[in-house]
Structure formats: structure tokens, C-alpha cells
């Protein structure tokens, strides 16, 4: 049998899974999400095509997603029940299993950069809350007023969720939205989900994975989801694959979804698509969890799987055209 062509580099990105279905998004929203995903995938792929590392490609692509109010990460993140933004992110290098993560940031513009800085600058893997923010500041990472993250759409979604839960609505923390709310108004409420993630393969043959999120709307008590947890929402090993997840974090944590997929590839030598399907369509669905994953193996196999109506996603590889999809019935 002829050997499969191994692309020199590849990248897969997601912007969250959930109630993403034809008819639920307007044509403007559909076009805005497709445009954003293609810009991000191209920006990441340019880094890889120029010989940059998978880690650099991931940070570049996720910073763009964090700045885009369409996605629940960085600007445009969802609110906690107290009306705050608490941002989580993680990144992992499959070459040497180096990993960094942050949870509960509220003034660092790019949580993914803070997560990456944890690797070299802290001697730890996961930093949380005020300590994480102090660390990010000490590393010179850009700080912003919490109002920077505010979007009207996410605030309304908090009000709806709190009313449904019968919880009090906190006072609106910020003034009227800024002029560029135009784009933020296109943000689609995916229901409970929406997170961003990127997996990449570089020309040196290394894979890496990164994930960034505002978590879940109306989260309480310092809740932390799967996104900043290495093994749950993010994992990468050159011996297996790189994985980034989105969905109901509580289920992803309990299954160790990202590491579980990696282990199926590493120990069972399972094909990547079979591995992601087994965990998402099999284990996650059986446990009652909703969401999706993207994955990439060092031999260039790319895969995604989700059990929601849709997932914002894109893939591109050397020699292969960019593919951007939103709905279940697309590639
Ligand atoms: N997995 C994220 C969390 O639980 C949310 C999401 O992906 O929508 O925090």
C-alpha cells in the first residue's frame, strides 16, 4: 500500500461547539464566523509554513481568537454569576510535554500568552486567580481594564441564564458599549458552550495544543472548567497526538478527554478519527456530556468530532486547501 503523504505542517482550529445549526445563525453571522476562522487558520499556517514552531503558531492563532468578540475567549468572554470575566487557558508542547496553564484571569488581555509564559517563567504548570494575574503582570503581558472584555451580547446571555436559574442579576459593571460593538453583536449564543482551541504540527515534526475560554455563562464559586486542565481540555504528545476540547467542562474533566484520546493513539495505535470518535461519540455521549474536540497527529492526520449540532472549525495543511465548517452536515 502506498504510504500516506505526510504534510510538512498542519493546523486545526475550533471556536466552540453547541447550538450551531442552519437557521439558528443569520447569514451575516455565518459569514462572520467563517471569515474569522479562515483568517485565524491562515495566520497560524503562515507561521508554520515559514518554519515557525507549533507553539508559536498556536499562540498567534489563539491571540487573534481572543481579540475577536465573536468567540468566548478574551474579548467577548461570558460572564460569571457575579458579572465578572474569569478567563482560563492552557498550552502544551508535544515535543517535551512542557505545559502551562492559567485560570481565573480578569485583566490579562491574552490568557494564552500567560499560559505559555508559565512554562518558562514559573516552575509550575497551573496558576490560578490573583497569583496568576500577578505572574502575568510580572512577565510584562498586556493588562487591560476588565471592561475591555465586555460585550452586550454576553451580558444579555448572562441575564437570560440567571433568570432561568432564578438567581439575582448583578449590577451591570460597565457603561454603554464602545463603538465596535457592531461586530460583537454578531456573536451567536451557542447555548452553554464556546471556547477556542488550536492544534498544530510544525516542520520539525512536533505537535502542540492550546485552548482558551471564558468558561461557562453564570459559573459560580470560582468554577474552573476543563480548558486550563492539562489532560482534560488540552493535551499534546509527539508519541500520540495533540488535542483541544470544547464543551461541558465537568464531563471533559471526569473523562480526561484530551489525554484519553492521546492514549488511544499512543498505546492502541488507533487511527486519529477512530480515537476521537470513540471518546466523543462513545464515552462522552454515554456519560451525558456535550461538546467536541479537534486533534492532529505527528504524521499529519487531522480529525474532529462533536456530539452537538455544530462546531466552529477549520483545518489546513501543506498541500491541502483550507476547510472551514460550522454545521454537522459539512465536512
Ligand atoms: N469547556 C469550557 C468550560 O467548561 C466551555 C466550553 O468549551 O464551552 O469551561
Amino acid at each position: 500500500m502506498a504510504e500516506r503523504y505526510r504534510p510538512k505542517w498542519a493546523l486545526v482550529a475550533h471556536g466552540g461547539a453547541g447550538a450551531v445549526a442552519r437557521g439558528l445563525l443569520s447569514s451575516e453571522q455565518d459569514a462572520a464566523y467563517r471569515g474569522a476562522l479562515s483568517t485565524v487558520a491562515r495566520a497560524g499556517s503562515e507561521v508554520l509554513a515559514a518554519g515557525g514552531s507549533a507553539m508559536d503558531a498556536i499562540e498567534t492563532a489563539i491571540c487573534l481568537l481572543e481579540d475577536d468578540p465573536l468567540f468566548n475567549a478574551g474579548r467577548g468572554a461570558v460572564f460569571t454569576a457575579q458579572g465578572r470575566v474569569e478567563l482560563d487557558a492552557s498550552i502544551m508542547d508535544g515535543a517535551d510535554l512542557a505545559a502551562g496553564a492559567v485560570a481565573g484571569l480578569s485583566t490579562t488581555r491574552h490568557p494564552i500568552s500567560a499560559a505559555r509564559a508559565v512554562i518558562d517563567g514559573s516552575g509550575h504548570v497551573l496558576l490560578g486567580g490573583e497569583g496568576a494575574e500577578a505572574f502575568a503582570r510580572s512577565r510584562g503581558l498586556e493588562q487591560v481594564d476588565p471592561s475591555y472584555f465586555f460585550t452586550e451580547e454576553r451580558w444579555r446571555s448572562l441575564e437570560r441564564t440567571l433568570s432561568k436559574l432564578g438567581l439575582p442579576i448583578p449590577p451591570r459593571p460597565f457603561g454603554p458599549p464602545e463603538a465596535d460593538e457592531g461586530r460583537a453583536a454578531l456573536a451567536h449564543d451557542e447555548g452553554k458552550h464556546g471556547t477556542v482551541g488550536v492544534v498544530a504540527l510544525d516542520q520539525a515534526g512536533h505537535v502542540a495544543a492550546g485552548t482558551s475560554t471564558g468558561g461557562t455563562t453564570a459559573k459560580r464559586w470560582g468554577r474552573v472548567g476543563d480548558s486550563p486542565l492539562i489532560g482534560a481540555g488540552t493535551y499534546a504528545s509527539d508519541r500520540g497526538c495533540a488535542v483541544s476540547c470544547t464543551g461541558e467542562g465537568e464531563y471533559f474533566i471526569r473523562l480526561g478527554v484530551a489525554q484519553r484520546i492521546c492514549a488511544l493513539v499512543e498505546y492502541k495505535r488507533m487511527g486519529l478519527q477512530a480515537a476521537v470518535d470513540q471518546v466523543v461519540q462513545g464515552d462522552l455521549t454515554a456519560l451525558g456530556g456535550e461538546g467536541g474536540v479537534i486533534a492532529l497527529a505527528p504524521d499529519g492526520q487531522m480529525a474532529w468530532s462533536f456530539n452537538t449540532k455544530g462546531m466552529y472549525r477549520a483545518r489546513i495543511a501543506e498541500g491541502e486547501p483550507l476547510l472551514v465548517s460550522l454545521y454537522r452536515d459539512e465536512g
Side-chain angles (χ1 to χ4, degrees):
M1 206 168 77
E3 277 248 325
R4 232 182 112 258
Y5 176 68
R6 178 196 173 288
K8 288 198 184 71
W9 54 264
L11 179 139
V12 189
H14 73 77
V20 179
R22 285 179 209 286
L24 292 180
L25 274 79
S26 67
S27 56
E28 286 90 349
Q29 287 176 316
D30 180 299
Y33 278 96
R34 284 181 203 275
L37 287 164
S38 72
T39 302
V40 164
R42 287 198 192 287
S45 70
E46 275 164 24
V47 174
L48 298 168
S53 70
M55 293 286 277
D56 282 343
I58 287 169
E59 189 178 356
T60 299
I62 293 188
C63 281
L64 290 172
L65 288 160
E66 287 175 341
D67 280 346
D68 192 330
L70 291 183
F71 301 98
N72 172 19
R75 182 151 187 274
V78 301
F79 291 96
T80 68
Q82 279 74 39
R84 283 167 47 84
V85 159
E86 292 177 3
L87 307 168
D88 304 333
S90 64
I91 188 165
M92 184 164 188
D93 190 341
D96 56 3
L97 306 191
V102 286
L105 298 182
S106 55
T107 61
T108 300
R109 177 172 172 187
H110 289 300
I112 195 67
S113 300
R116 190 170 181 190
V118 167
I119 295 177
D120 299 320
S122 74
H124 301 296
V125 169
L126 170 60
L127 305 181
E130 279 172 25
E133 209 99 72
F135 168 77
R137 272 198 305 278
S138 77
R139 301 290 297 181
L141 294 178
E142 185 179 349
Q143 300 296 300
V144 292
D145 187 85
S147 61
Y148 165 82
F149 299 110
F150 182 94
T151 60
E152 189 64 34
E153 287 306 303
R154 299 299 188 196
W155 186 259
R156 284 209 204 108
S157 160
L158 175 69
E159 289 180 336
R160 282 195 299 274
T161 307
L162 290 174
S163 307
K164 261 190 235 150
L165 294 170
L167 290 171
I169 293 169
R172 229 182 124 97
F174 310 112
E178 298 290 316
D180 68 344
E181 274 287 324
R183 180 167 180 78
L186 288 173
H188 172 65
D189 189 2
E190 302 85 22
K192 284 173 281 190
H193 320 306
T195 282
V196 306
V198 178
V199 290
L201 164 67
D202 62 28
Q203 296 197 35
H206 300 305
V207 292
T211 310
S212 181
T213 190
T216 48
T217 303
K219 62 187 179 180
R220 295 201 277 170
W221 304 301
R223 180 262 189 197
V224 175
D226 60 312
S227 307
L229 300 187
I230 297 299
T234 302
Y235 201 78
S237 167
D238 284 356
R239 299 163 71 100
C241 61
V243 182
S244 170
C245 306
T246 177
E248 293 175 287
E250 284 67 13
Y251 293 87
F252 284 74
I253 294 171
R254 289 158 67 205
L255 285 168
V257 165
Q259 213 275 332
R260 180 178 286 232
I261 291 168
C262 191
L264 289 176
V265 175
E266 180 174 351
Y267 297 114
K268 286 192 118 183
R269 307 313 313 165
M270 228 184 220
L272 196 64
Q273 190 64 51
V276 294
D277 283 339
Q278 170 150 334
V279 175
V280 174
Q281 310 301 332
D283 303 335
L284 179 69
T285 306
L287 196 62
E290 276 194 353
V293 307
I294 54 170
L296 180 56
D299 66 359
Q301 292 176 76
M302 297 182 271
W304 49 49
S305 190
F306 52 93
N307 65 4
T308 46
K309 288 202 168 70
M311 178 164 80
Y312 305 118
R313 58 203 191 275
R315 60 202 264 178
I316 184 167
E318 182 238 347
E320 282 185 38
L322 170 68
L323 173 66
V324 176
S325 314
L326 308 188
Y327 310 120
R328 175 163 286 288
D329 59 7
E330 293 180 275

